[in-house]
Amino acid sequence: IGVEGFLFIMIGAAIPIEDLFRHFGIGLAAILVVTVARSFTVHPLLWILHRFFRQDVPWRWRIVVDLGGLHVGVTMAILLNLPNDLPMLEQIRVMGYYVIVWSVLGLPFLTRFALKVLAPPETPSI
């Protein structure tokens, strides 16, 4: 967490706050695209796991796996290594930062909600 937190602060310091507001729609679109892409990756892999290895993951747990596995380390590394003369660099940084913020602040709450609603703890039967 220490290194990721440090990188998160570095990226955030490089983006002016007005850019975050100006490109709000692009940031939300980036979150949506990353979330959908993750779903299109996770669910077929879980199907393969079930089909070929006979390991069934119930549907409600598939949602939790889908929500809980987005990591931002690669996004941070890419954002820190982009060349300064890259076209649309400002928008790319904003999109990456929105995805990072969503992954760090939004997904834990959504995953917790999904755990409570979709996969409640089993109650012992009497």
Side-chain angles (χ1 to χ4, degrees):
I1 290 183
V3 173
E4 282 189 354
F6 177 72
L7 293 175
F8 179 72
I9 291 170
M10 285 180 60
I11 293 167
I15 301 173
I17 191 83
E18 51 276 350
D19 288 352
L20 293 175
F21 289 116
R22 182 176 38 232
H23 300 298
F24 182 74
I26 293 173
L28 292 181
I31 290 170
L32 180 65
V33 167
V34 167
T35 303
V36 169
R38 170 118 176 109
S39 292
F40 279 126
T41 304
V42 167
H43 292 284
L45 289 174
L46 291 173
W47 178 83
I48 290 170
L49 185 68
H50 170 70
R51 177 82 172 134
F52 295 107
F53 299 102
R54 303 288 183 229
Q55 298 293 319
D56 188 29
V57 178
W59 179 253
R60 60 186 184 188
W61 283 105
R62 290 178 187 206
I63 302 298
V64 173
V65 169
D66 190 4
L67 293 173
L70 186 62
H71 300 286
V72 296
V74 173
T75 305
M76 287 188 208
I78 290 170
L79 288 177
L80 290 172
N81 288 305
L82 292 175
N84 288 331
D85 59 346
L86 186 69
M88 298 180 61
L89 179 63
E90 175 183 307
Q91 290 89 345
I92 293 169
R93 283 189 175 148
V94 168
M95 287 188 297
Y97 195 70
Y98 269 90
V99 169
I100 291 168
V101 169
W102 170 247
S103 300
V104 172
L105 300 178
L107 278 181
F109 292 109
L110 188 58
T111 304
R112 185 176 181 184
F113 174 76
L115 282 169
K116 285 182 180 178
V117 173
L118 298 174
E122 295 183 23
T123 57
S125 59
I126 300 176

